[in-house]
């Protein structure tokens, strides 16, 4: 459980950045070298590599160096594991809530009763 | 797009912590007061309130004070919007990847060819 929590911490942390999400999205189309991944971003390479490091530590991506070229791959299973957390929440909700507006109306009702 | 990115940044950041995920999970069962939410955690109230603040700023939860009691509600729609990001990735993948093991085998093959 603690292990699973740490995994979710690192995956959600990695996803909390638009550059990193764009890298994930790009790698969904197939493997890419660091140069290819960095190309769309107006960012110094050391800054970009920090993002790659966060993604690798979260195990959302893996990379492999061949000669002087580092190629990155998406670890799709890791992303699916994080997505599963949302599914678990749905299962807990059941049909309890329909929407926030309904909830707020209910809360206002409770307040008016009190 | 920038707005949507900022929303995802704050939601994923909020989810990157086990206490905050536990609060989300608890609120999935229904609204709760701050005292009820804090009860399972061995944490000083100011520290717990920081987590509540992060969740509120991400708009994953909303809270309302009635007298001296603050009640929190889950903003289910916000969680669903974040979940949708995963769905978009699936759509991009198509049937390109089956699993990481396959990818690594492929990458090793590429290396052996080079």
């Amino acid at each position: 459980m603690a292990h699973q929590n740490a995994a979710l911490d690192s995956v959600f942390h990695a996803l909390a950045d638009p550059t990193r999400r764009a890298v994930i999205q790009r790698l969904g189309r197939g493997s890419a070298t660091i140069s290819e991944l960095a190309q769309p971003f107006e960012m110094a390479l050391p800054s970009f590599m920090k993002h790659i490091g966060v993604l690798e530590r979260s195990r959302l991506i893996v990379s492999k160096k061949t000669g002087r070229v580092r190629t990155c791959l998406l670890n799709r299973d890791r992303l699916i594991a994080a997505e599963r957390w949302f599914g678990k929440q749905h299962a807990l909700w059941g049909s309890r809530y329909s929407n926030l507006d309904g909830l707020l109306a209910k809360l206002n009702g409770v307040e008016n009763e009190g």
Side-chain angles (χ1 to χ4, degrees), chain A residues 22-113:
Chain A
V23 168
I24 293 288
Q25 187 160 329
R26 166 62 190 83
L27 291 176
R29 303 207 320 268
S31 62
T33 64
I34 295 289
S35 317
E36 288 166 342
L37 289 173
Q39 194 272 324
F41 303 102
E42 291 181 4
M43 196 181 291
L45 192 62
S47 304
F48 186 75
M49 288 308 292
K50 280 184 192 168
H51 287 303
I52 295 293
V54 172
L55 287 168
E56 284 202 288
R57 283 190 295 278
S58 76
R59 292 178 47 207
L60 280 169
I61 73 170
V62 289
S63 79
K64 189 161 180 136
K65 204 165 185 179
T66 306
R68 295 176 64 178
V69 177
R70 183 170 290 279
T71 303
C72 298
L73 304 168
L74 179 63
N75 185 358
R76 175 175 150 167
D77 295 343
R78 192 76 164 175
L79 207 57
I80 289 171
E83 186 179 12
R84 215 167 282 147
W85 181 84
F86 290 88
K88 279 185 196 166
Q89 309 312 308
H90 285 288
L92 291 171
W93 297 342
S95 57
R96 196 175 289 266
Y97 289 166
S98 59
N99 58 54
L100 181 62
D101 290 339
L103 278 168
L104 289 172
K106 194 178 153 195
L107 195 66
N108 283 325
V110 170
E111 192 184 23
N112 293 340
E113 284 165 24

